[in-house]
Amino acid sequence: GNSVTQMEGPVTLSEEAFLTINCTYTATGYPSLFWYVQYPGEGLQLLLKATKADDKGSNKGFEATYRKETTSFHLEKGSVQVSDSAVYFCALRPNSGNTPLVFGKGTRLSVIA
Amino acid sequence: DARVTQTPRHKVTEMGQEVTMRCQPILGHNTVFWYRQTMMQGLELLAYFRNRAPLDDSGMPKDRFSAEMPDATLATLKIQPSEPRDSAVYFCASGSRVGGNTEAFFGQGTRLTVV
C-alpha cells in the first residue's frame, strides 16, 4: 500500500537556523510528492511538489528533492523565520487516476526570535 | 482567485443533533475529497467523489455519516446523530488532473464541536 512517514515533532528552532524535516514514502509505481503547510486556524496550502524522480520542488525558500533511490522527499530551508511556524505535511499521490492524497502525520515547527 | 469554500467555519452543537457541512469546490475541478483532522489521528480521508459519483467512502462511519454531491458546485457532509467524538476539523479539497496537475486544493475547514 501507499504510506508516508515523516519525522515526529515538534521541532523548535531559532530564527535563521537551518531546517530539515524528513519524509519517506512507500508506494507502488511513481507517485507525485508534496509538501503542504498549515498555519494556525487555516486549511492546508500547497508549499511545493515534485512529480518525478530527481525533480526539485521549491517555494518561499523551501526545497525538497524527489529521491527515488531512497524513497525520500525531505524538506529543507536554509534560514527559517518566525513566520514559518506552522505544521508541515508530507504527502503522496499515486500517479494513476484522481486518487486521494496520502498524508504523513505532520510536523509542527516553532521558530523563536 | 479560485478557492474551495467551506461553510460554516465553526459549528457548536449538542450531542444527537444533525450537522451539515457544505463545500463549494473550485470551478472545473471534477474530484472532491473530505478529510477529518484530529490531534490523535491526524488527517483521515472520509470520502471522495469524481464527477459527482462517490468512489470511496470507506473512511466514514456509515451509520451516522453521509456525503453527497447534489451538483457539481456543492458537496455536503452530514452527521446524524452527532456525537462528542465527532469533534474535529473537517476539510474539503478539490482537484483535477487536467493539465497534469496532481495537487489538491483545500478549503479552510469547518471546526465542529459536539457537546
Side-chain angles (χ1 to χ4, degrees):
Chain A
N2 301 308
S3 66
V4 175
T5 302
Q6 59 181 107
M7 63 188 287
E8 297 275 338
V11 173
T12 302
L13 295 174
S14 297
E15 208 165 21
E16 299 184 3
F18 185 86
L19 169 71
T20 299
I21 301 178
N22 290 338
C23 170
T24 57
Y25 67 90
T26 302
T28 53
Y30 303 95
S32 296
L33 301 174
F34 306 87
W35 278 99
Y36 279 81
V37 58
Q38 184 179 30
Y39 298 103
E42 299 290 322
L44 279 71
Q45 303 173 25
L46 179 67
L47 180 59
L48 53 84
K49 69 177 182 179
T51 56
K52 61 183 187 297
D54 299 326
D55 267 2
K56 178 186 284 188
S58 61
N59 185 26
K60 299 181 182 178
F62 291 89
E63 292 183 341
T65 301
Y66 190 143
R67 302 283 188 203
K68 189 172 184 301
E69 63 275 14
T70 54
T71 61
S72 65
F73 193 55
H74 304 321
L75 182 68
E76 296 182 336
K77 186 174 185 181
S79 175
V80 293
Q81 304 300 313
V82 173
S83 56
D84 294 326
S85 298
V87 181
Y88 292 82
F89 293 89
C90 185
L92 71 82
R93 193 165 190 184
N95 212 11
S96 60
N98 218 345
T99 47
L101 289 161
V102 176
F103 285 91
K105 291 197 175 295
T107 302
R108 181 175 299 278
L109 170 67
S110 295
V111 180
I112 53 177
Chain B
D1 184 22
R3 62 181 65 190
V4 175
T5 302
Q6 289 186 249
T7 56
R9 289 292 310 277
H10 304 273
K11 176 72 175 179
V12 180
T13 191
E14 291 185 346
M15 183 174 63
Q17 296 298 305
E18 178 179 297
V19 175
T20 299
M21 291 168 271
R22 292 177 173 80
C23 168
Q24 181 177 356
I26 292 173
L27 189 64
H29 282 187
N30 68 338
T31 308
V32 173
F33 309 92
W34 283 104
Y35 288 88
R36 176 171 62 184
Q37 185 178 37
T38 61
M39 290 291 291
M40 294 299 295
Q41 300 297 328
L43 275 163
E44 304 172 276
L45 178 71
L46 297 176
Y48 77 103
F49 294 76
R50 184 188 306 162
N51 297 325
R52 296 178 55 201
L55 289 191
D56 185 356
D57 60 1
S58 59
M60 290 198 314
K62 298 290 191 309
D63 55 337
R64 299 184 300 108
F65 284 59
S66 61
E68 296 180 342
M69 279 200 75
D71 60 61
T73 64
L74 177 64
T76 62
L77 180 65
K78 191 171 295 187
I79 308 174
Q80 169 62 23
S82 57
E83 297 180 2
R85 60 181 166 149
D86 301 328
S87 298
V89 182
Y90 291 81
F91 288 105
C92 174
S94 70
S96 169
R97 289 238 175 215
V98 173
N101 292 319
T102 53
E103 65 263 38
F105 296 81
F106 281 75
Q108 291 192 294
T110 294
R111 181 176 296 276
L112 174 64
T113 304
V114 183
V115 298

